[in-house]
Amino acid sequence: MTTGLIPGGQPPEPQPTDEPMPRQRLDPAGEPAPHADERPRSSVITARAAASFEPVGRSVATARSFVRDTLQGWGFADIVDDAVVLTSELVTNAVVHAGTHADVLCLRTQDGVRIEVSDRYPEREVPLQSSAVSMSSPDREGGRGLQLCAALATRWGVDYTPTHKNVWFQLDLPERPVGTRTAGPALPADLLPLADGRVRVAVLQIDRKGGISAWNEDAEELFGYPASDVIGKPLTDLAAWPHTPGTGTGIAEALGLSRWEGTYGIRRSDGRVSQVYASHLRVRDTGGEPSTVCLLVRDHERAVLQTPSRVPAGDQSTSSDGQSTDPFEVFIGSPAPDDLDGLLQRTVERARDMLDGDSAFLLLATDDETELEVRASTGLPSARQRFARVPVEAGPGRYGSARMPAVHDDLAAVPGAVPLLTGTGMRSVVTVPLKVEGRLTGSLGVAAEAPGRYTNEEALRLQFAADRIALAVESARLGELERLRRGSLSFLVEASDLLAGTLDRDQTLALMAQMTVPTLATWCAVYTIADQASEPYLSYVLHEDEELIDGIKSLLSKIPPPDPVPTPGARVWTAPGEVAHQAALRSSMRSLGLAGGPAHRVASGIGPTLSTASAVGGETVVLPLVARNRVIGMLTLGKPTDEHFRQEILELAEDLSRRAALALDNARLYSERTAISQSLQRSLLPPGLPQIDGVEVEVIYRAAGEGNEVGGDFYDVFPIGNGAYGFAIGDVCGTGPNAAAVTGLARHALRLLAREGLPGPAVLERLNSAILDEGDRSRFLTLLYGELRTQDDGSAELKVVCAGHPLPLRLRQDGTVTAAAEPQPLLGVIEDLELYEETVTLDPGDVLLCVTDGVTERREGTRMLGDDGLADVLTTCTGLTAGAVAARIMRAVERFASDAPSDDMAILAMRVPGLHMEV
């Protein structure tokens, strides 16, 4: 995104073109709107802001933030929400639906704001005068931009050229500021405010939980909801609060005040918002239960409820015309800013003007009054030192005159008395404390470049002003802290959910960085420690500007990592900033030819070096990642040049680091255990298939369940001796690790017993005894076991025992399929088994197919593949190699049902090659 802000600038003049630029706008019905035919020409543009957004989905959220921040900065909070909604829809149409860049231009006038959204795909739904246009349904995700413009904007329209389309809308400011209270004198009847024939006053009662408990007939008439539809619902579901969250009083806070008056909207049953003027009164019933009574009238009838403004009883002053005024309003100006930053900035500007100073600054005290934090300044080159902290009582750079008014005639004589002014050129300064009920809440100072400018008289004047604003500043600060705490809780809840959603180590590292940048810091780096004997390793680096990541990573890799200290809390780490500054200085000197050889050899590297130095030149802090009483890494957060962290942000980062450390350690444990599990599972599989002269052997194995390499099904092919080979395919009851344990027992026992020279029935009978000896851990086992010997005539002789297993199928060269054995009892059920073996001869070209029940019991709804289905597939495999037969069977099984297999599957195919093998 590229942006530009030009205060007081004029919109660019249109470039002449060879073709006319028609400007047309249609309402949703397809007819020209009466008030959208022309853009306003009489308003004077007082400021403009522009931004361009790439055609990616995240640009929509970025555009919303751009418009919201711009309008908030201009003081247009009343129309922010409507402007953001319209911009969001129009930018979505451009970057998501049209797939082009979107250019957003905000123009400020005395009456409101005009916003233009341009894209580069004019062929997409451009309304034309000559044809009716059917607008999109409001339920659709896209295509609602023009409908919303028609519903919300004062004026709107569409300009288009062969290469661009520009949709613009204008929002006028309301005639009265939100929440304004005024008193009116006695007026003649013809000058009284207009109202409907019958003034309706909606009476609502809101319980302590914010739910509506009473709703009168006038409320039904004004908003269209019967009482039965709204009783019990939160008022916040209906209220369209005009303030942007985080910058003013919310509806929930307003309901908790003893009395409140102001303006907001109520969403009617038809979906439109009706502006109302409200008077809230907090009451309690005889049982002590609190509730809020809300009286609401139409906004243009606000005179019915509006009360006259009152002057505070205490500490009044009189203006030149004899009217009483509030000293606070005299100093700050009316109306006073609603937000803390605006109030502090207005304060330092008025203090500077009041004492005719060159600069002014204001610091706020921490809760324990041990440090002061820079929050506002004017006229100082150190304005970027916002949120820098200095101690009040002791320590280097302490603020020695915070608790009492002080005048310094010449700072050159007492260097460091006011740390904020060090190196600024200011010589004289007057500072006064901000106190509330005897408690230090801040410090206000005014400074001048000339020495000896201020006396005790100026200090008393500034202290008088500070006493008038201290309570308002503290109230605004507490409100800001409360909003920050609420936001911090939401942030931590979301962070915990994200961290708990993955057990992948790399993804956990990425989430840690992405949650801190840019919310908490400009850049971050994560160091990990494998064990107590290992050095910290730089695992992840992130900067809000992706082009700077490589430079920071290179810088951090060249300096020793921070010490892995388990002490909780953030500690300052100065090494990155110092090393980056030195590297940038050396690069600059070499580029000037002062050292290091010709300039052209290093010129190409100067830019990245300087950029990296600027990126890490601010405050850098390190937080330990401690999990299970061990330091497993460090989270490093940084700011660009001259910027510092707020104390509240560091506390939030500390909370996040604790959660992130546990998530990272869980991911490590999961990775280790997964590696162990996979290693153990792989040990249960045969090392490989032996090469048997005169017989092709192919196996396909699939274990059910995520992360399982071995399940309840198993196979094995192994040499016995004297040219004989044993083969087995079995199925243990169940799946997963428990079944895999029996799998390992069966496979290894088969090899040992077969190599002892025992016949097939004896091998299985002894295996049956071993399974039963497992006791409660024993499981049923179906097993097909056989011994294979090749013959001189090219055939192969097989001796087979089928203990409860799906019967092996024999495919002859003529395409006939028959069972190659008879069923016998399965293993692991009874102690005394009487098994026998059967002899099968595979002629050249014959195939023996052995499968587990995961193949034959493959289901799709009520259908099952079954033995007959498997035989049908096998008949199509005449002339194929053993590998091709196994692959065709597996494809048929997978295609039989759309769902993923829920049971283990094993396929063993053996083929005696014919004289003329077909491939």
Side-chain angles (χ1 to χ4, degrees), residues 134-441:
S134 177
M135 299 295 287
S136 302
S137 167
D139 296 329
R140 284 182 51 193
E141 183 178 353
R144 299 174 298 188
L146 300 183
Q147 282 183 302
L148 286 174
C149 286
L152 300 179
T154 307
R155 298 180 182 87
W156 68 277
V158 180
D159 302 337
Y160 61 97
T161 70
T163 58
H164 287 75
K165 180 177 68 177
N166 180 43
V167 181
W168 61 270
F169 62 87
Q170 180 167 326
L171 296 171
D172 290 346
L173 291 173
E175 295 181 0
R176 301 179 179 86
V178 173
T180 298
R181 295 185 299 169
T182 59
L187 295 175
D190 57 343
L191 297 181
L192 293 176
L194 293 175
D196 293 344
R198 175 188 172 187
V199 177
R200 297 187 179 275
V201 180
V203 180
L204 287 63
Q205 192 157 3
I206 313 301
D207 61 29
R208 70 188 308 167
K209 296 181 179 179
I212 300 172
S213 58
W215 182 270
N216 70 343
E217 294 180 359
D218 281 355
E220 295 183 10
E221 187 67 24
L222 286 175
F223 310 124
Y225 300 101
S228 58
D229 289 351
V230 295
I231 296 297
K233 290 185 176 180
L235 180 60
T236 53
D237 288 356
L238 304 180
W241 196 249
H243 296 290
T244 301
T247 62
T249 305
I251 184 66
E253 289 82 357
L255 292 174
L257 301 176
S258 60
R259 177 178 288 277
W260 184 90
E261 282 187 23
T263 304
Y264 53 89
I266 295 291
R267 295 182 180 88
R268 302 199 310 244
S269 60
D270 59 3
R272 300 184 70 86
V273 175
S274 178
Q275 294 296 319
V276 297
Y277 190 85
S279 176
H280 297 175
L281 178 65
R282 190 77 164 160
V283 297
R284 62 182 175 90
D285 59 18
T286 55
E289 182 70 12
S291 62
T292 303
V293 178
C294 304
L295 306 181
L296 291 79
V297 297
R298 296 182 180 92
D299 189 54
H300 65 273
E301 296 171 340
R302 62 170 59 198
V304 175
L305 299 179
Q306 197 171 33
T307 57
S309 59
R310 298 184 178 92
V311 177
D315 200 12
Q316 299 177 353
S317 62
T318 304
S319 62
S320 58
D321 57 1
Q323 295 182 346
S324 297
T325 57
D326 185 355
F328 172 75
E329 293 186 356
V330 171
F331 179 73
I332 293 296
S334 181
D338 293 332
D339 61 302
L340 176 62
D341 291 336
L343 179 62
L344 299 182
Q345 193 62 34
R346 179 80 64 84
T347 298
V348 295
E349 292 171 356
R350 293 300 170 86
R352 178 197 60 189
D353 296 342
M354 183 178 71
L355 297 188
D356 193 22
D358 297 314
S359 64
F361 52 90
L362 192 149
L363 301 89
L364 293 184
T366 56
D367 291 338
D368 57 5
E369 302 181 25
T370 60
E371 289 184 313
L372 291 170
E373 190 176 63
V374 180
R375 292 302 301 270
S377 63
T378 181
L380 292 177
S382 58
R384 293 171 296 176
Q385 291 277 358
R386 192 166 182 239
F387 301 125
R389 292 174 300 280
V390 293
V392 175
E393 301 294 351
R398 68 186 183 91
Y399 200 115
S401 56
R403 298 189 183 277
M404 296 293 292
V407 177
H408 296 280
D409 290 333
D410 193 350
L411 289 177
V414 282
V418 184
L420 181 62
L421 300 180
T422 301
T424 62
M426 299 297 161
R427 298 287 297 276
S428 56
V429 61
V430 53
T431 62
V432 296
L434 299 178
K435 292 186 177 182
V436 175
E437 298 179 350
R439 182 172 60 86
L440 178 68
T441 61

Side-chain angles (χ1 to χ4, degrees), residues 453-472:
R453 282 282 301 273
Y454 302 114
T455 64
N456 290 341
E457 182 178 350
E458 279 84 5
L460 290 177
R461 290 180 59 197
L462 189 61
Q463 184 67 71
F464 180 81
D467 292 341
R468 296 303 178 273
I469 66 169
L471 184 59

Side-chain angles (χ1 to χ4, degrees), residues 846-881:
D846 289 356
V847 175
L848 184 72
L849 177 68
C850 310
V851 301
T852 57
D853 60 4
V855 174
T856 56
E857 295 181 0
R858 178 73 163 146
R859 294 181 179 274
E860 174 69 19
T862 58
R863 298 185 306 117
M864 187 171 71
L865 180 62
D867 296 333
D868 294 338
L870 180 62
D872 292 341
V873 177
L874 186 58
T875 57
T876 67
C877 298
T878 304
L880 299 181
T881 64

Side-chain angles (χ1 to χ4, degrees), residues 488 491-492 520 647-657:
S488 299
F491 173 79
L492 290 175
L520 305 181
Q647 186 63 35
E648 294 82 0
I649 296 298
L650 293 179
E651 293 172 358
L652 179 59
E654 185 178 357
D655 286 339
L656 175 64
S657 68

Side-chain angles (χ1 to χ4, degrees), residues 810-818 875 878:
R810 176 181 181 179
L811 172 64
R812 296 182 179 274
Q813 282 188 319
D814 59 3
T816 60
V817 175
T818 58
T875 57
T878 304

